[in-house]
Tab-separated table of all heavy atoms in Angstrom:
chain	number	residue	atom	x	y	z
A	12	VAL	N	372.382	69.002	-41.559
A	12	VAL	CA	373.688	68.375	-41.743
A	12	VAL	C	374.408	68.990	-42.941
A	12	VAL	O	373.797	69.277	-43.961
A	12	VAL	CB	373.512	66.848	-41.973
A	12	VAL	CG1	374.833	66.177	-42.253
A	12	VAL	CG2	372.813	66.216	-40.783
A	13	VAL	N	375.728	69.171	-42.801
A	13	VAL	CA	376.567	69.606	-43.920
A	13	VAL	C	377.259	68.374	-44.501
A	13	VAL	O	377.866	67.601	-43.767
A	13	VAL	CB	377.629	70.633	-43.464
A	13	VAL	CG1	378.568	70.979	-44.606
A	13	VAL	CG2	376.960	71.889	-42.926
A	14	ILE	N	377.155	68.192	-45.808
A	14	ILE	CA	377.828	67.100	-46.505
A	14	ILE	C	379.217	67.599	-46.901
A	14	ILE	O	379.345	68.653	-47.525
A	14	ILE	CB	377.042	66.664	-47.757
A	14	ILE	CG1	375.646	66.173	-47.364
A	14	ILE	CG2	377.809	65.604	-48.531
A	14	ILE	CD1	374.721	65.945	-48.547
A	15	VAL	N	380.267	66.850	-46.534
A	15	VAL	CA	381.651	67.235	-46.840
A	15	VAL	C	382.302	66.114	-47.641
A	15	VAL	O	382.228	64.950	-47.265
A	15	VAL	CB	382.449	67.494	-45.540
A	15	VAL	CG1	383.877	67.896	-45.862
A	15	VAL	CG2	381.761	68.559	-44.689
A	16	ASP	N	382.941	66.474	-48.749
A	16	ASP	CA	383.597	65.492	-49.613
A	16	ASP	C	384.925	66.073	-50.080
A	16	ASP	O	385.112	67.295	-50.049
A	16	ASP	CB	382.693	65.169	-50.801
A	16	ASP	CG	382.996	63.837	-51.464
A	16	ASP	OD1	384.018	63.219	-51.128
A	16	ASP	OD2	382.199	63.420	-52.325
A	17	ASP	N	385.839	65.226	-50.514
A	17	ASP	CA	387.129	65.732	-50.989
A	17	ASP	C	387.026	66.251	-52.422
A	17	ASP	O	387.373	67.392	-52.705
A	17	ASP	CB	388.238	64.693	-50.848
A	17	ASP	CG	387.917	63.363	-51.524
A	17	ASP	OD1	386.784	63.176	-51.997
A	17	ASP	OD2	388.814	62.505	-51.566
A	18	VAL	N	386.539	65.417	-53.349
A	18	VAL	CA	386.398	65.808	-54.748
A	18	VAL	C	385.016	65.396	-55.237
A	18	VAL	O	384.593	64.264	-55.033
A	18	VAL	CB	387.477	65.137	-55.640
A	18	VAL	CG1	387.267	65.502	-57.100
A	18	VAL	CG2	388.872	65.543	-55.194
A	19	VAL	N	384.316	66.319	-55.878
A	19	VAL	CA	383.004	66.024	-56.460
A	19	VAL	C	383.150	66.058	-57.970
A	19	VAL	O	383.568	67.070	-58.531
A	19	VAL	CB	381.943	67.054	-55.996
A	19	VAL	CG1	380.633	66.824	-56.722
A	19	VAL	CG2	381.741	66.983	-54.496
A	20	SER	N	382.847	64.934	-58.615
A	20	SER	CA	382.905	64.904	-60.079
A	20	SER	C	381.513	64.642	-60.649
A	20	SER	O	380.887	65.536	-61.188
A	20	SER	CB	383.928	63.880	-60.575
A	20	SER	OG	383.705	62.626	-59.999
A	21	THR	N	381.000	63.435	-60.506
A	21	THR	CA	379.679	63.124	-61.061
A	21	THR	C	378.547	63.518	-60.130
A	21	THR	O	377.404	63.644	-60.557
A	21	THR	CB	379.545	61.623	-61.353
A	21	THR	OG1	379.621	60.897	-60.124
A	21	THR	CG2	380.633	61.150	-62.301
A	22	GLY	N	378.846	63.662	-58.848
A	22	GLY	CA	377.810	63.986	-57.870
A	22	GLY	C	377.118	62.766	-57.294
A	22	GLY	O	376.161	62.892	-56.535
A	23	GLY	N	377.589	61.563	-57.638
A	23	GLY	CA	376.964	60.326	-57.158
A	23	GLY	C	376.985	60.192	-55.646
A	23	GLY	O	376.003	59.773	-55.032
A	24	SER	N	378.092	60.551	-55.024
A	24	SER	CA	378.188	60.466	-53.560
A	24	SER	C	377.241	61.451	-52.891
A	24	SER	O	376.613	61.141	-51.877
A	24	SER	CB	379.621	60.740	-53.095
A	24	SER	OG	380.496	59.755	-53.576
Side-chain angles (χ1 to χ4, degrees):
V12 176
V13 175
I14 299 170
V15 180
D16 202 351
D17 55 353
V18 177
V19 174
S20 52
T21 64
S24 296

